[in-house]
Amino acid sequence: MLYLRDLWRRHRRKVLVTAGVLGSGYLLYKLYDAHKRRLIDLERQLANERENDEFIKAQIQLHFENIQRIADTTTLPHAMPYLSCRIAEDLNLSHLMERLVKGKDQPNSLSSSEKLELWDRLKILSFTRLVVSIWAVTILSLYIRVQVNILGRHLYIDTARGLGSSYLLEEADLIDRDDQQKFLASADFLANHGLPKLISSMQTAATEVLKAKQLRDFFNTAILHETIMQILDMFLSMGSPHHWVDCLMPEDPRLYKLAKTSSDETNPPEFTKFDQLMVETREVLSSAEFSNVVELSLKAVAKALVEEKGFQYGGGNLTNGMPLARLLPRIAQICPTLVEEPSKNQFIQIIRSVPEVGLFFTLLYSNMSAS
């Protein structure tokens, strides 16, 4: 025993140090093991979240592509033929052409001043119909795409919320079928209500731009393109900014309902989901980004139009140039192709192919939940 006590006395410090080191090492190992387990759990959780995020992104991308397809194959094919008919009715040039042909066949049937007046009217109305058709096919295809992206995003949020998804912002009320149908049917507002105002404004712009153009003036591809863009630019700059939105859709429902609320405070009007959709659409159409997309699309359509084969064959080539009087009948022939059904309409395809158009609608759809 004395030997053991002496041994303990001599080596106690070493034993205690060794025990401390071993204990500390074990404690550090346990801490390291627990930390490693937490890291593994965290990595597994992050991997699951990344997988879930990728799934959500894939679903949203698929839904976005389906929405664009609906615009191209369902909504636009419904609206475009009706608009085409209305433009043909309101800007019918056949009576002017018939009177001029009759005057040529029967020289005594028209005086010189009457002929000049008819030619001048044909010049103004031909270009009016041309730019109305360019603007209509461009703006209607873009407007409908705005509509279906806004509605599609709302419906996707409603569906996801119904399935218990928490990654999307909560919306107020679900959009009922009547509001959906009313909202999509508003694409016919231009044909039903806005066309007379559009034609009047375009005719004013065309008259101003063409007043110095004579029937004998030489027109080639560059001059025709420049003339078209001058008329469109003048139209867009007339009146208040974004005045043309009123040709596309009814007045802002907030203005009407605010006025009604102030006059009847006891029964304030209800602000419906349809009203919300229309307000969102107007805000998009009034944005600088949408104006930029409209401008780029109009330029692309105008450029493609002047290169259209109908201008390039038969009794003269627009590339080489021709008198304005010879160009007018070709304009009348080309106009219907601008607003023909989407499956045959090359100009709608051109609008879709503008890179900024695709980017705009991608951003519109992806940012809808933050609006």
Side-chain angles (χ1 to χ4, degrees), residues 2-28:
L2 290 173
Y3 172 75
L4 290 175
R5 279 200 295 270
D6 185 58
L7 184 65
W8 168 252
R9 190 182 304 111
R10 282 185 291 132
H11 298 287
R12 181 176 61 177
R13 183 179 179 84
K14 295 179 181 179
V15 171
L16 291 175
V17 170
T18 301
V21 170
L22 291 174
S24 298
Y26 179 74
L27 178 61
L28 288 173

Side-chain angles (χ1 to χ4, degrees), residues 2 99 127 131 140 155 192 225 258 261 263 267 291 361 371:
L2 290 173
R99 288 191 64 188
F127 274 91
V131 290
L140 185 64
L155 294 176
N192 285 326
H225 182 269
L258 282 174
T261 299
S263 62
N267 296 300
S291 294
F361 287 108
S371 60

Side-chain angles (χ1 to χ4, degrees), residues 178-346:
D178 287 343
D179 280 342
Q180 294 178 38
Q181 291 176 346
K182 280 175 61 180
F183 180 57
L184 293 176
S186 68
D188 286 331
F189 183 87
L190 173 61
N192 285 326
H193 306 286
L195 195 57
K197 180 179 180 180
L198 172 64
I199 291 174
S200 176
S201 298
M202 284 291 191
Q203 186 170 338
T204 299
T207 301
E208 179 64 24
V209 171
L210 295 169
K211 64 182 180 182
K213 305 286 186 183
Q214 304 299 320
L215 294 172
R216 62 180 179 274
D217 286 355
F218 185 83
F219 265 68
N220 58 21
T221 302
I223 295 173
L224 176 59
H225 182 269
E226 180 185 12
T227 303
I228 291 171
M229 293 311 303
Q230 284 177 344
I231 297 172
L232 289 170
D233 289 342
M234 181 166 290
F235 163 74
L236 292 173
S237 64
M238 293 168 61
S240 60
H242 311 294
H243 65 92
W244 46 266
V245 175
D246 292 332
C247 297
L248 271 177
M249 59 188 305
E251 66 177 6
D252 191 332
R254 290 174 297 187
L255 300 177
Y256 166 74
K257 296 199 171 185
L258 282 174
K260 197 171 190 306
T261 299
S262 62
S263 62
D264 186 8
E265 297 182 358
T266 57
N267 296 300
E270 179 186 2
F271 194 75
T272 65
K273 198 72 175 180
F274 168 74
D275 293 331
Q276 180 186 343
L277 292 170
M278 294 298 284
V279 166
E280 288 183 24
T281 303
R282 179 174 281 271
E283 288 174 350
V284 171
L285 266 57
S286 301
S287 68
E289 294 80 5
F290 186 75
S291 294
N292 182 57
V293 166
V294 169
E295 182 179 347
L296 292 172
S297 299
L298 288 172
K299 288 179 178 178
V301 171
K303 182 177 183 297
L305 176 69
V306 298
E307 297 170 354
E308 168 65 26
K309 63 182 180 181
F311 281 133
Q312 305 301 339
Y313 298 105
N317 189 307
L318 186 59
T319 303
N320 298 325
M322 64 180 68
L324 176 56
R326 189 183 295 176
L327 177 63
L328 294 179
R330 299 195 186 190
I331 289 177
Q333 293 171 356
I334 288 290
C335 284
T337 67
L338 281 158
V339 285
E340 65 182 351
E341 62 176 282
S343 63
K344 301 177 182 178
N345 196 318
Q346 63 164 318

Side-chain angles (χ1 to χ4, degrees), residues 114-166:
E114 288 175 328
K115 287 181 182 179
L116 286 174
E117 182 183 355
L118 286 174
W119 273 109
D120 191 61
R121 287 176 59 194
L122 180 63
K123 176 183 71 173
I124 299 300
L125 291 180
S126 293
F127 274 91
T128 298
R129 181 169 177 178
L130 182 66
V131 290
V132 164
S133 299
I134 292 173
W135 191 86
V137 69
T138 302
I139 209 72
L140 185 64
S141 61
L142 295 174
Y143 174 71
I144 286 176
R145 200 172 288 266
V146 169
Q147 276 191 309
V148 297
N149 275 278
I150 289 176
L151 181 59
R153 181 64 181 181
H154 276 281
L155 294 176
Y156 186 76
I157 290 173
D158 290 342
T159 302
R161 189 166 62 104
L163 294 174
S165 299
S166 59

